[in-house]
Amino acid sequence: MGRVTCFTVSTCTYCMKIKDAFTELAFEFTEIPLDLYPERRADMVRAANRLVVPQIFFNDRHIGGGDEMEALMKTGEAREMYAALMTEPAPTLPELAEPADDPAPPERPSERREEEFKFGRISMLYTELLIELENELTIKDHIHLGVVYKRTFHGKDLVTFLIDAFNLKSREAGISAGTTLQEAGLFSVVGHAGSSEETEPLQDTGKLYRLHNHQQRLVLNSQRQWNDRVDKPGVTIRACFDMLSQIERRAASDGLVDYIKMFNDVSWPDFEDAVCELQRIEFGAMSENEQLAFCLNLYNLATKHAMVKVGIAKSDIRRLQFFDKVGYCIGGHVYSLNQIENGLLRGNKVAPFHFHKPFRPDDPRLKFAMPQGNHQIHFALNCGARSCSPVTFYTAEAVREELRLMSAGYVEMDEHVRVDTKTKTLWLAAIFSWYRSDFGPTKREMVNIVADLASSDKKETLNAWLAESESHLTFKIRYIPHDWHTNASASKTFNPANFRTEAMLACSLM
């Protein structure tokens, strides 16, 4: 009996869409996920002469990718082909052989030991207590001496909450419980950073306090201070990546994602707790390939996390603020999205539309900047826009091959690289202009990179154009505007003013 074979990557949204369509049509198929069987990438390339996923075969016949398969489904031809396939023998190409062995089991994250608080006869886990505090405590903006202290609460209100929540017998017991939570880092006094008041016991007064996860709200992994076990970097980032992907799938419909639904997902608080482990990950203990894979995954994870938690930027100015201000705490240092990309991955190079390098010479984070010159990272990073490559997970063991695969796939797509033979114009995605220095010192070298990654007609045309361009390029290069639209069906709107902890009143008090 014949067989449908589909090369995929587990986190690829295009692959998910095709697999869902096959299931709806009752098409049986053999899936070869390249992230679980990385050694099968060479088989796919030989059989399909393409490097992007999905790649679909009906027996030995190469159908193509998702677009080609969807076109056949719309016309009804796919059903006819599948019916005929069932009467044929199995495929003969060795590259399409079913995986003989189960994939090696991935290293699993250790069980998290979330801190538990017990007062009287009642106990609550850290995340459970945090949710109760956010829902039940009166948290609002308070004004004191002309300063607005945002998202704060009175000490006396916390004491009352603790008495009710834990069935305590006195306000003294509530103060004692609150002091324990304060020492655990659940909240802190506001307006007195570095003073002795930070370590004072909770006051049963109108003194203002703020929850820890409200203190640095643009540092995404700040729900709690991590004092639990720490897994290997690849294991930790993979666990967080998978958790977020599962939440996204539950909020996705017809290719669009409801980011409000993601934020309200029952598993969102657990994800917010899990990413706090990244606070204790150390770049200094990683090999170059480990750090490269980790930072690629970190950027893509943080971008999606931010789109859910703080919203999507809707203007150029807001986008600059989004990438400059939102980030993660890693190894005790805060890295914005801009600093992850341009400071770490690009070797501390000036970001587009900026004037200074992300890290100054005396910045302790500078020692973690990676070697410059890896232009392939631009084909792997996803800033949340439609013009970006699809998100995939990168592994330390195969990150160079994975980047090559993603880079070639990026160049193959006409929305990123288009060759117009009529006007003799090479149209390139905006990233080739923004990160011009990463693609070589001259435009010829940049085109050589594109030609090396391209296949079939694009490669042939570009090589011919380069061959006839001895002293200067005889063809034009133009850039395709970046499409900043997202896949959001619903989302918050990012505004950094919403995340300030203090603000002066517009008018002074006379």
Side-chain angles (χ1 to χ4, degrees):
M1 185 173 67
R3 189 178 76 231
V4 175
T5 305
C6 189
F7 289 92
T8 66
V9 169
S10 299
T11 55
C12 167
T13 54
Y14 304 106
C15 301
M16 296 176 200
K17 189 175 181 181
I18 286 298
K19 290 189 291 183
D20 289 345
F22 282 166
T23 301
E24 186 174 340
L25 291 171
F27 285 8
E28 295 184 7
F29 63 97
T30 294
E31 180 182 7
I32 305 178
L34 299 183
D35 47 335
L36 299 183
Y37 296 94
E39 70 279 5
R40 298 299 300 272
R41 286 191 179 89
D43 290 338
M44 186 191 78
V45 173
R46 283 194 298 268
N49 196 31
R50 295 189 189 179
L51 294 173
V52 295
V53 291
Q55 291 302 322
I56 302 154
F57 293 81
F58 277 37
N59 270 351
D60 292 336
R61 178 183 174 183
H62 179 221
I63 301 301
D67 290 343
E68 292 87 350
M69 192 68 242
E70 286 184 344
L72 292 173
M73 291 176 179
K74 287 180 180 178
T75 63
E77 190 176 352
R79 287 187 180 276
E80 297 174 6
M81 292 172 59
Y82 183 80
L85 180 73
M86 293 297 100
T87 66
E88 299 174 0
T92 59
L93 284 176
E95 290 84 359
L96 304 181
E98 298 182 71
D101 302 308
D102 292 334
E107 193 170 357
R108 300 294 182 186
S110 306
E111 184 177 353
R112 274 180 283 135
R113 296 184 296 274
E114 191 172 354
E115 194 167 1
E116 185 177 23
F117 299 98
K118 184 175 182 179
F119 305 114
R121 296 182 178 181
I122 299 174
S123 61
M124 289 190 194
L125 295 175
Y126 187 106
T127 302
E128 181 184 11
L129 178 56
L130 184 63
I131 293 173
E132 286 293 313
L133 286 168
E134 289 185 318
N135 290 338
E136 302 298 332
L137 198 58
T138 302
I139 299 175
K140 62 180 183 179
D141 298 348
H142 291 89
I143 301 173
H144 180 65
L145 297 178
V147 178
V148 179
Y149 294 95
K150 297 193 171 187
R151 299 182 70 82
T152 53
F153 56 89
H154 290 130
K156 60 185 178 181
D157 292 336
L158 176 63
V159 173
T160 299
F161 165 83
L162 294 172
I163 291 172
D164 294 339
F166 290 93
N167 197 23
L168 303 178
K169 303 300 183 184
S170 66
R171 297 199 71 80
E172 288 73 18
I175 294 171
S176 176
T179 300
T180 298
L181 299 181
Q182 184 178 7
E183 292 172 349
L186 197 72
F187 65 89
S188 59
V189 65
V190 303
H192 300 280
S195 73
S196 60
E197 289 194 45
E198 282 191 303
T199 57
E200 288 183 357
L202 174 68
Q203 302 295 305
D204 189 13
T205 65
K207 184 179 284 294
L208 294 176
Y209 297 86
R210 183 182 291 119
L211 294 176
H212 174 73
N213 62 317
H214 292 173
Q215 187 66 36
Q216 292 181 296
R217 297 173 64 210
L218 294 179
V219 180
L220 301 175
N221 61 331
S222 60
Q223 176 163 288
R224 66 163 162 136
Q225 295 174 339
W226 191 260
N227 55 9
D228 203 345
R229 87 290 175 276
V230 180
D231 283 324
K232 294 178 182 178
V235 174
T236 299
I237 197 78
R238 180 82 211 208
C240 296
F241 195 94
D242 288 346
M243 290 176 71
L244 188 59
S245 295
Q246 291 168 10
I247 293 171
E248 182 177 12
R249 288 191 195 104
R250 291 194 288 271
S253 178
D254 297 325
L256 298 176
V257 176
D258 185 336
Y259 288 89
I260 303 296
K261 188 175 181 180
M262 286 183 68
F263 185 78
N264 293 320
D265 190 277
V266 65
S267 297
W268 183 255
D270 193 39
F271 166 74
E272 289 256 81
D273 184 70
V275 293
C276 292
E277 185 177 347
L278 296 171
Q279 298 167 10
R280 300 281 299 279
I281 297 295
E282 298 290 343
F283 284 124
M286 299 184 197
S287 69
E288 185 175 320
N289 279 355
E290 285 175 331
Q291 185 178 346
L292 175 58
F294 181 87
C295 287
L296 292 171
N297 294 323
L298 181 70
Y299 182 93
N300 291 337
L301 177 76
T303 300
K304 183 71 68 174
H305 188 174
M307 292 170 70
V308 178
K309 188 171 184 177
V310 302
I312 295 175
K314 301 295 177 68
S315 69
D316 290 341
I317 291 177
R318 286 287 183 259
R319 277 189 281 273
L320 285 172
Q321 294 170 327
F322 179 89
F323 291 107
D324 282 345
K325 295 179 179 295
V326 180
Y328 272 174
C329 175
I330 309 293
H333 298 292
V334 174
Y335 297 86
S336 68
L337 289 164
N338 177 14
Q339 290 165 339
I340 295 170
E341 177 182 10
N342 299 289
L344 297 175
L345 285 166
R346 295 185 67 222
N348 202 35
K349 297 181 76 171
V350 178
F353 315 109
H354 288 67
F355 299 102
H356 305 288
K357 294 180 178 180
F359 305 140
R360 296 181 178 181
D362 60 347
D363 193 316
R365 297 170 295 178
L366 179 59
K367 63 185 175 183
F368 303 125
M370 303 195 68
Q372 295 182 0
N374 188 351
H375 59 267
Q376 292 181 327
I377 64 169
H378 301 300
F379 308 128
L381 298 176
N382 186 295
C383 66
R386 288 180 183 171
S387 285
C388 296
S389 293
V391 174
T392 190
F393 187 83
Y394 297 91
T395 63
E397 298 78 13
V399 64
R400 304 291 174 174
E401 174 64 18
E402 290 162 350
L403 278 175
R404 186 185 71 83
L405 182 73
M406 187 60 72
S407 301
Y410 186 93
V411 169
E412 278 299 291
M413 300 177 71
D414 284 344
E415 53 261 50
H416 300 146
V417 175
R418 187 166 65 249
V419 176
D420 187 339
T421 56
K422 291 183 179 179
T423 62
K424 208 170 184 180
T425 302
L426 172 60
W427 289 89
L428 297 174
I431 62 170
F432 287 94
S433 173
W434 295 344
Y435 303 98
R436 177 70 189 77
S437 64
D438 292 358
F439 294 93
T442 67
K443 289 186 177 181
R444 173 182 284 274
E445 289 198 34
M446 178 175 69
V447 178
N448 264 317
I449 288 173
V450 175
D452 287 343
L453 290 170
S455 63
S456 60
D457 293 343
K458 282 183 184 177
K459 179 187 288 288
E460 183 178 341
T461 301
L462 290 177
N463 284 334
W465 286 359
L466 288 167
E468 65 185 35
S469 302
E470 295 184 3
S471 59
H472 65 280
L473 297 182
T474 61
F475 55 94
K476 294 174 288 187
I477 297 177
R478 298 289 184 268
Y479 296 101
I480 304 168
H482 199 71
D483 184 355
W484 284 106
H485 291 91
T486 70
N487 65 346
S489 61
S491 72
K492 302 176 185 177
T493 298
F494 174 73
N495 184 347
N498 295 335
F499 302 96
R500 295 173 186 158
T501 53
E502 284 85 35
M504 299 300 296
L505 288 177
C507 302
S508 58
L509 300 178
M510 302 300 292

